[in-house]
Amino acid sequence: MKAKFNGKRITGILGLLPKEVGYFDDEVDNYTFPPKQTMRLKKVMGFEKHRLSKESSTASEFCIYGLNYLLDNGKIGREEIGAIIVVSLSPDYFVPHISNIIHGECDLPEDVLCMDIPQGCCGYLLGLMQSFLLLDIMKEKKIVLCNVDILSHKVSRKDRNDFPLIGDAACISIIENSEDPDDIYFRLYTDGKQRNSLIIPAGGFAMPCTDETAVMKVLEDGNCRSLNNLHMDGTGVFNFVQVNIPPMLENMLEETGIKKEEIDYYLFHQPNKFMLKKLADKIQVPYEKMFMNIVENFGNSSGVSIPINIVYNLPQQMVKEKYTCCLSAFGSGLTWGAIIMKLGNMDFCEMIETEL
């Protein structure tokens, strides 16, 4: 899919993190592999620490906490909100949706549209696209985009393949119409044939959770997990990213007439440092333009990693200045995409901790 928007801007981003920190060094003995072998991953993949929410915490609680923070601090008014969009793979329930829970708990007006989108790694891109579309008909209203995932709840702590990189987080972005005519370029692609490269086998209607699906097993790859746990084919996803992202970006720049050097920052989804370094080398982007420090500090928070990247690395810059940025994500689906847009002159760009 290709699309072009204009007259839209992100006016604020709030990142939310759980307080608990899990350290890679403390988790080495969880795995069936020799500790020395496991420690080699630390430097290569950028595994250092990750944020882990409480087992009792829910995705809606992060969003409610964040929106109430914005309301209480005058960052947005209830009457200004036209829609609540939640992008997440961590629903509280099948029904009701997270957006409806937020609506009720934050006492929002009845004419506020509520929408949940089940999307993972490309969730921020898809959420922005939906926000831009809604603003064409909502005019004076603002969109509250909530990206949230607490996927550590679905990953085996004995799985060295998946657990070290997973982190929990949420972000709330405010998107609104603007008189600024800057163009926004959007691309999104899908290869459903590779969908099982990132999967939680049990838990839906195709395979409900049972006592049998909860049985932990040491599998052929040496990791221990059950069918209730998330699993990523790391090698498959790595190859997919290296093959698909460079030509997409090259074609996008050519079609839009934007030169690679004109991009101030490449704010990419962060599965691990190794993958990003290889990608930066392949598209010939300087490391200083592509931050790679999110996984080592917070973990891979799925569709939340791009806005966490922004609030962690550029909080003051995004309030004071404006930059041409390329946002790109790749993963579950398998899906990949990018947005090139101006970011900056925001009302706020900050991150807070919660007890969740």
Side-chain angles (χ1 to χ4, degrees):
M1 177 182 175
K2 299 179 181 180
K4 179 180 175 182
F5 305 93
N6 55 52
K8 318 283 188 245
R9 61 185 295 254
I10 300 172
T11 54
I13 306 177
L14 174 69
L16 298 106
L17 297 171
K19 204 166 195 176
E20 182 184 343
V21 180
Y23 292 91
F24 184 83
D25 290 4
D26 296 337
E27 297 161 356
V28 169
D29 292 333
N30 292 355
Y31 314 122
T32 59
F33 303 89
K36 285 186 178 180
Q37 182 190 102
T38 297
M39 288 300 291
R40 294 193 197 107
L41 291 175
K42 182 177 179 179
K43 184 176 181 180
V44 175
M45 295 297 185
F47 297 154
E48 180 67 37
K49 53 188 176 180
H50 49 168
R51 296 299 180 107
L52 304 170
S53 60
K54 296 176 181 177
E55 285 298 322
S56 59
S57 297
T58 62
S60 69
E61 288 177 320
F62 278 91
C63 299
I64 293 164
Y65 187 97
L67 184 52
N68 279 331
Y69 176 89
L70 296 179
L71 291 167
D72 293 343
N73 287 279
K75 306 292 187 182
I76 192 171
R78 287 177 174 81
E79 71 286 350
E80 297 179 283
I81 300 174
I84 298 286
I85 299 175
V86 177
V87 187
S88 179
L89 293 177
S90 310
D92 293 18
Y93 312 99
F94 280 123
V95 178
H97 301 308
I98 299 173
S99 56
N100 297 114
I101 298 171
I102 298 168
H103 184 282
E105 293 299 318
C106 293
D107 194 26
L108 300 181
E110 291 182 350
D111 63 349
V112 172
L113 175 68
C114 292
M115 177 186 298
D116 280 26
I117 302 174
Q119 177 63 262
C121 306
C122 287
Y124 197 59
L125 305 184
L126 194 60
L128 287 176
M129 182 200 72
Q130 185 61 68
S131 299
F132 298 153
L133 290 170
L134 284 175
L135 284 170
D136 281 340
I137 58 174
M138 291 192 167
K139 304 303 180 185
E140 304 301 322
K141 295 288 188 176
K142 300 178 181 181
I143 308 299
V144 174
L145 171 61
C146 303
N147 290 85
V148 55
D149 265 311
I150 49 173
L151 289 172
S152 71
H153 297 195
K154 299 298 292 184
V155 179
S156 166
R157 294 189 176 229
K158 297 183 178 181
D159 186 344
R160 196 189 67 177
N161 183 84
D162 299 310
F163 185 68
L165 62 88
I166 285 294
D168 298 332
C171 267
I172 297 180
S173 303
I174 307 300
I175 301 100
E176 58 186 280
N177 283 307
S178 170
E179 295 181 358
D180 196 325
D182 290 334
D183 290 328
I184 300 171
Y185 301 97
F186 176 86
R187 301 287 186 274
L188 192 67
Y189 302 94
T190 301
D191 180 2
K193 292 184 177 65
Q194 298 190 65
R195 63 191 179 275
N196 290 339
S197 295
L198 208 159
I199 185 172
I200 302 175
F205 288 112
M207 186 187 296
C209 288
T210 63
D211 291 341
E212 286 74 21
T213 65
V215 175
M216 302 291 289
K217 298 179 180 178
V218 177
L219 303 173
E220 293 181 0
D221 62 3
N223 288 289
C224 184
R225 59 180 173 269
S226 74
L227 292 173
N228 293 346
N229 297 135
L230 180 147
H231 174 58
M232 179 178 71
D233 174 5
T235 301
V237 173
F238 174 83
N239 292 333
F240 150 78
V241 169
Q242 302 303 314
V243 169
N244 288 283
I245 304 305
M248 175 195 67
L249 293 174
E250 182 179 342
N251 293 337
M252 191 176 185
L253 291 171
E254 183 178 348
E255 291 170 359
T256 60
I258 299 172
K259 296 179 181 179
K260 188 184 300 181
E261 298 73 25
E262 294 175 333
I263 305 292
D264 296 306
Y265 293 107
Y266 291 81
L267 301 167
F268 283 18
H269 170 59
Q270 296 197 17
N272 59 63
K273 183 177 286 188
F274 177 75
M275 186 182 294
L276 285 174
K277 279 187 173 181
K278 293 297 183 182
L279 185 56
D281 292 340
K282 197 158 189 176
I283 63 178
Q284 298 181 323
V285 169
Y287 290 169
E288 60 266 24
K289 283 194 171 186
M290 186 188 292
F291 300 112
M292 304 180 190
N293 54 2
I294 298 303
V295 167
E296 68 185 60
N297 283 291
F298 310 112
N300 170 6
S301 51
S302 188
V304 194
S305 72
I306 290 178
I308 287 290
N309 192 347
I310 297 170
V311 298
Y312 181 65
N313 288 301
L314 298 167
Q316 296 180 353
Q317 295 92 325
M318 283 295 155
V319 173
K320 296 178 179 179
E321 304 290 341
K322 182 183 278 191
Y323 303 91
T324 299
C325 299
C326 176
L327 286 58
S328 184
F330 26 83
S332 58
L334 290 177
T335 310
W336 68 104
I339 291 178
I340 296 177
M341 65 182 297
K342 297 279 188 181
L343 289 179
N345 293 337
M346 296 182 186
D347 298 329
F348 61 92
C349 185
E350 59 185 284
M351 186 149 59
I352 59 176
E353 285 189 342
T354 76
E355 297 291 339
L356 297 169

